[in-house]
Amino acid sequence: MELGAAARKAGFSLECREVVTSTNDLAMACLLEGGDRHWFVAGQQQAGRGRHGRDWVSPPGNLYASLALAAPCPPARAPLVGFVAGLSLAEAFCRVSPALRPVVHLKWPNDVQIAGAKAAGILLEGLSLRGGRTGIVIGMGANIRHRPDLADYPVTALADHAPGAQVPTVFAALSDRIAENLALFDAGNGFAAIREGWLRHALPNGTKLRVRLPAGERHGTFAGLDPDGHLLLDTGRAVEAVMVGDVFLAETPADPQTALRTLG
């Protein structure tokens, strides 16, 4: 496992382990010890976690990676780092398998899909550092060789559509794209450019969604992102900005081959 050339040039470092409890835990400890721009990649996690404390199934053959970043932006802009990560993952998938570009999509806030099925997820965690700074850990799990079953989502793996895909190749591409997109992000000052790139890979406008909110469920269609990264949901009566929620496709997606034929 190696960093890409752009990541090495930008000063990132890498540590690989066979089995860990959680790569996010290692990255959090790294930040407390004064580390920065340091990747942890594991072959298997024993206690991986997703959003809202959900378990993240971690069979061998997939990518489990966390990046420790010491104060990459002011605390108020910290949630925007998730868009840097999502864009970078989508770009890495497309770099490894360019033919899949029409069916690799980003679903707000933190999933990468292939033809409507989840292929990767992102978990951001933060902690307070000395001097009032905020450290951010970007945890990423990508299904490369295996696709664990999830109750709420259809799931796929990159190798289902690009049989030659391997974890080291995907990680090298991801590390390069993260390095370049963090530079573009510029501590939050360049979020407009990240948002533009994210939207290029987003679900098509008009995709039917259901959004599970703390106050109940809303139905509508995807209408983009606002300048602060909130989901825009067109309910037919108004376009609402969603700050927090779980998003689901309201229709069964086509398989990648059907989607590619339709687009072609």
Side-chain angles (χ1 to χ4, degrees):
M1 195 84 64
E2 294 182 351
L3 293 164
R8 292 194 301 271
K9 184 176 180 181
F12 288 79
S13 53
L14 169 64
E15 185 173 340
C16 298
R17 305 277 186 92
E18 285 298 323
V19 180
V20 301
T21 53
S22 161
T23 57
N24 264 32
D25 289 344
L26 294 176
M28 297 278 272
C30 174
L31 287 172
L32 291 173
E33 294 168 1
D36 186 23
R37 294 195 165 202
H38 191 73
W39 282 98
F40 291 91
V41 177
Q44 192 172 0
Q45 296 183 116
Q46 296 174 326
R49 58 185 179 273
R51 294 177 70 225
H52 307 307
R54 300 183 183 110
D55 290 338
W56 185 271
V57 181
S58 306
N62 290 342
L63 174 63
Y64 312 110
S66 295
L67 176 60
L69 296 171
C73 61
R77 294 176 172 176
L80 302 180
V81 174
F83 293 96
V84 175
L87 173 59
S88 300
L89 263 174
E91 290 175 337
F93 277 15
C94 294
R95 181 173 291 186
V96 170
S97 182
L100 287 178
R101 172 63 185 87
V103 292
V104 172
H105 291 127
L106 290 164
K107 179 174 73 66
W108 188 92
N110 63 353
D111 286 353
V112 181
Q113 298 186 333
I114 300 177
K118 182 171 181 172
I122 298 161
L123 174 66
L124 288 188
E125 294 188 300
L127 74 166
S128 298
L129 302 176
R130 293 174 185 172
R133 301 178 305 150
T134 297
I136 296 176
V137 170
I138 306 174
M140 286 169 278
N143 300 334
I144 309 301
R145 307 303 303 177
H146 304 288
R147 44 186 173 92
D149 292 330
L150 295 178
D152 290 337
Y153 301 95
V155 182
T156 191
L158 182 59
D160 290 340
H161 322 291
Q166 298 291 335
V167 170
T169 306
V170 175
F171 175 71
L174 172 62
S175 68
D176 277 349
R177 296 312 306 141
I178 283 272
E180 292 166 357
N181 284 327
L182 278 173
L184 186 64
F185 181 62
D186 186 25
N189 297 313
F191 178 65
I194 294 298
R195 174 179 174 271
E196 181 180 344
W198 196 96
L199 286 170
R200 284 198 299 270
H201 289 272
L203 295 168
N205 275 15
T207 299
K208 293 182 180 179
L209 304 175
R210 56 186 181 90
V211 183
R212 190 179 295 162
L213 303 169
E217 195 164 275
R218 302 288 285 167
H219 292 255
T221 60
F222 178 69
L225 299 178
D226 75 6
D228 296 315
H230 301 143
L231 170 69
L232 295 178
L233 183 72
D234 187 346
T235 66
R237 291 175 294 183
V239 176
E240 301 178 0
V242 177
M243 300 175 65
V244 179
D246 287 328
V247 176
F248 303 86
L249 298 185
E251 296 180 336
T252 302
D255 64 89
Q257 289 74 25
T258 300
L260 284 167
R261 285 197 298 270
T262 301
L263 288 164

